[in-house]
């Protein structure tokens, strides 16, 4: 694991943007895995800026989002499809038919989940997956005690997650109780993982995920078994990491070209 600590979320987003840029320049038809929520917003703003100012080309890119609420149509203002359109897809030159978000209105949810897994396989897997971190340790919507080998499936959201996400809805009663989410196993098969976490509210859980034992109660801790994962955190989220001085030293000793994501860690 490589832990990169930066002063602000925007600094983390610039580094994440460089990694996406390096990937797309090396592989124009790359497959990007994307997340929703507040955390990836600075990264998406950076990608939109890079499209506008640096001509970053998304025309060959395919995307897969991690999850979607069950029961919300794609044009619902709180659906993750809508979020992605607003935050990213409408502002870059990705081809709409190559953007994938699970269908929260699917009648046969199991078939939808299996089809999602097959679609990922059909394009050769995900090159780079962006992840946020839930305060309860979830990645995507793999809530505590999710199987660490799980695949795309239906999950019940915890009360904590529904409370955390209520800020996007009129009231907590409107927050769906179920979602379709990629599994931990699905995420572990992505070739590169980029997990972002910002703010003091994520400090404890990031320390557990990165420095604690691997356990289903903290699904993000499974990332410790992945061979190419970068954790991008601001100072506030890093505040409870025991080894934070060491992580800073490692990063500051890297050459610029390596920091720009052009080398595997
Ligand atoms: C969203 C997702 C979730 C969020 C997590 C953090 O697609 O997969 O795991 O990344 O709930 O949410 P924020 O970023 O809003 O704190």
């Amino acid at each position: 694991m490589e832990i990169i600590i930066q002063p602000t979320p925007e600094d983390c987003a610039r580094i994440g943007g460089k990694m996406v840029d390096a990937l797309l320049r090396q592989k124009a038809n790359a497959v990007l895995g994307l997340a929703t929520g507040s955390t990836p917003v600075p990264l998406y703003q950076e990608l939109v800026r890079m499209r506008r100012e640096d001509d970053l080309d998304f025309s060959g890119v395919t995307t897969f989002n991690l999850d979607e609420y069950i029961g919300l149509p794609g044009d619902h203002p709180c659906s993750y499809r809508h979020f992605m359109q607003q935050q990213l897809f409408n502002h870059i030159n990705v081809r709409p038919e190559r953007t994938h978000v699970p269908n929260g209105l699917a009648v046969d949810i199991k078939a939808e989940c299996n089809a999602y897994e097959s679609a990922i396989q059909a394009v050769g897997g995900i090159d780079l997956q962006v992840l946020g971190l839930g305060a309860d340790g979830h990645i995507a919507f793999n809530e505590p005690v999710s199987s660490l080998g799980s695949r795309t499936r239906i999950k019940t959201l915890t009360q904590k997650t529904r409370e955390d996400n209520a800020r996007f809805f009129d009231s907590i009663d409107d927050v769906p109780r179920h979602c379709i989410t990629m599994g931990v196993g699905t995420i572990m098969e992505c070739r590169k993982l980029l997990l972002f976490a910002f703010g003091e509210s994520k400090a404890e859980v990031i320390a557990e995920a990165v420095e604690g034992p691997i356990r289903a109660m903290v699904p993000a801790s499974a990332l410790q078994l992945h061979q190419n994962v970068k954790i991008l955190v601001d100072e506030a989220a890093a505040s409870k990491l025991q080894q934070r001085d060491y992580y800073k030293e490692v990063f500051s000793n890297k050459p610029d070209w390596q920091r720009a994501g052009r080398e595997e860690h």
Side-chain angles (χ1 to χ4, degrees):
M1 283 182 136
E2 184 180 7
I3 323 298
I4 302 173
I5 302 169
Q6 293 290 297
T8 69
E10 288 68 31
D11 296 314
C12 293
R14 267 191 292 279
I15 293 176
K18 280 185 190 162
M19 288 170 187
V20 174
D21 179 83
L23 173 65
L24 299 198
R25 290 188 195 279
Q26 178 202 338
K27 186 177 178 186
N29 63 346
V31 181
L32 295 180
L34 301 172
T36 55
S38 304
T39 306
V41 170
L43 173 69
Y44 297 157
Q45 287 171 347
E46 176 65 2
L47 295 181
V48 170
R49 186 201 64 73
M50 292 167 90
R51 168 70 204 137
R52 210 178 41 232
E53 294 174 16
D54 307 338
D55 216 20
L56 184 57
D57 184 12
F58 293 85
S59 61
V61 166
T62 298
T63 69
F64 286 90
N65 264 80
L66 288 168
D67 38 28
E68 178 61 283
Y69 291 116
I70 286 182
L72 299 191
D75 59 0
H76 188 286
C78 295
S79 77
Y80 285 166
R81 161 57 76 178
H82 185 264
F83 175 95
M84 289 310 301
Q85 293 300 139
Q86 299 301 311
Q87 296 293 332
L88 186 65
F89 298 155
N90 290 347
H91 312 289
I92 59 173
N93 64 333
V94 67
R95 285 166 60 175
E97 68 276 17
R98 291 202 186 144
T99 66
H100 302 86
V101 181
N103 176 9
L105 289 188
V107 180
D108 185 341
I109 304 245
K110 202 160 184 200
E112 169 69 15
C113 295
N114 292 341
Y116 207 68
E117 288 275 336
S118 301
I120 294 172
Q121 295 300 324
V123 294
I126 293 172
D127 291 301
L128 185 151
Q129 175 68 57
V130 174
L131 296 167
L133 177 63
D136 63 1
H138 70 224
I139 41 171
F141 274 142
N142 294 286
E143 298 286 31
V145 307
S146 286
S147 157
L148 299 186
S150 52
R151 314 299 311 187
T152 303
R153 68 208 183 293
I154 183 170
K155 279 298 284 183
T156 302
L157 299 173
T158 60
Q159 180 65 14
K160 169 76 179 136
T161 297
R162 292 183 64 243
E163 282 165 11
D164 286 348
N165 289 4
R167 67 190 191 278
F168 297 110
F169 292 80
D170 288 341
S171 96
I172 187 161
D173 297 330
D174 296 333
V175 184
R177 292 180 182 275
H178 298 99
C179 65
I180 293 175
T181 180
M182 274 189 211
V184 180
T186 321
I187 292 168
M188 292 296 283
E189 281 174 11
C190 303
R191 284 183 274 281
K192 291 184 191 178
L193 301 177
L194 215 51
L195 181 138
F196 294 87
F198 305 135
E200 218 184 312
S201 65
K202 300 285 171 78
E204 202 152 316
V205 70
I206 200 84
E208 278 197 66
V210 170
E211 296 178 336
I214 298 169
R215 57 196 182 114
M217 271 302 280
V218 184
S221 64
L223 304 186
Q224 294 177 31
L225 293 172
H226 197 281
Q227 292 194 5
N228 194 330
V229 50
K230 292 187 200 301
I231 310 278
L232 280 149
V233 284
D234 64 0
E235 288 283 359
S239 60
K240 297 206 166 139
L241 288 167
Q242 283 178 33
Q243 297 277 72
R244 63 179 184 283
D245 293 341
Y246 169 67
Y247 307 139
K248 285 183 182 178
E249 186 193 330
V250 171
F251 188 68
S252 65
N253 285 325
K254 283 187 134 194
D256 283 350
W257 56 273
Q258 228 179 15
R259 288 193 222 182
R262 290 200 297 275
E263 162 86 336
E264 304 294 339
H265 188 264

